Amino acid sequence: MSSNNSDTILDLAAQVGKALHDKGLILATAESCTGGGVAQAITEIAGSTAWFDCGFIAYSNASKTEMLDVSAALIAQMGSVSEEVAAAMASGALGASNAHLAVSTTGIAGPTGAVPGKPVGTVCFGWANADSVHTERLVFSGDRRAVREQTVIHALQGLLRFIN
């Protein structure tokens, strides 16, 4: 990880932690392409035990179904890299945890895995609470590491918007 991105990620994680703490909220993560990177950033912050419940690394489609209750039919219909699956992952993390809100990531970090309409760098995000789920689909550039770093940064930035 570049030191610039590392500093950005830690700064964003600290801001997320403060926002969660100030509002008395607890977070869970549901990650595929980031492999726990969002949860790692969150738990780098001292005191995160007060506002972080747990993280799910649901890399395979089977784990998305088994751990997060994402419908196998939804995955088959939309593909694991879709806003619909990102929404279901975030909602599933809420249902399987004691959290008030959740963030999810699912994407194609590369260098392989591209499919028609979903190039390498395609990432879908979900941010959920008891009342709503917001999703987003972006395409990042760069190598696998760059895509994963940009995904963690965007997930944290989205959390800040979703909390406030």
Side-chain angles (χ1 to χ4, degrees):
M1 184 180 317
S2 71
S3 64
N4 236 9
N5 279 345
S6 181
D7 292 345
T8 299
I9 288 169
L10 286 176
D11 182 57
L12 285 167
Q15 291 178 52
V16 166
K18 180 176 179 352
L20 290 166
H21 184 267
D22 289 351
K23 293 193 183 281
L25 299 173
I26 296 177
L27 174 69
T29 61
E31 302 180 66
S32 186
C33 64
T34 45
V38 177
Q40 180 182 355
I42 293 292
T43 58
E44 283 289 325
I45 307 305
S48 57
T49 189
W51 42 268
F52 182 70
D53 183 48
C54 61
F56 299 90
I57 301 172
Y59 212 71
S60 69
N61 289 342
S63 67
K64 289 173 180 67
T65 298
E66 292 162 13
M67 293 193 308
L68 299 171
D69 201 28
V70 177
S71 159
L74 179 69
I75 294 171
Q77 179 184 5
M78 305 308 298
S80 59
V81 179
S82 63
E83 288 183 71
E84 293 83 358
V85 168
M89 288 173 65
S91 295
L94 281 182
S97 71
N98 296 307
H100 301 108
L101 66 145
V103 59
S104 66
T105 61
T106 183
I108 306 166
T112 61
V115 296
K118 296 178 185 177
V120 167
T122 301
V123 180
C124 295
F125 299 85
W127 297 273
N129 61 25
D131 300 322
S132 65
V133 182
H134 296 277
T135 62
E136 196 168 354
R137 178 184 188 265
L138 296 175
V139 179
F140 296 113
S141 60
D143 63 11
R144 182 176 181 82
R145 178 179 301 209
V147 168
R148 287 166 52 112
E149 287 178 2
Q150 291 170 84
T151 301
V152 170
I153 288 168
H154 190 76
L156 293 170
Q157 289 170 333
L159 270 173
L160 281 174
R161 287 190 300 273
F162 196 68
I163 295 165
N164 295 320

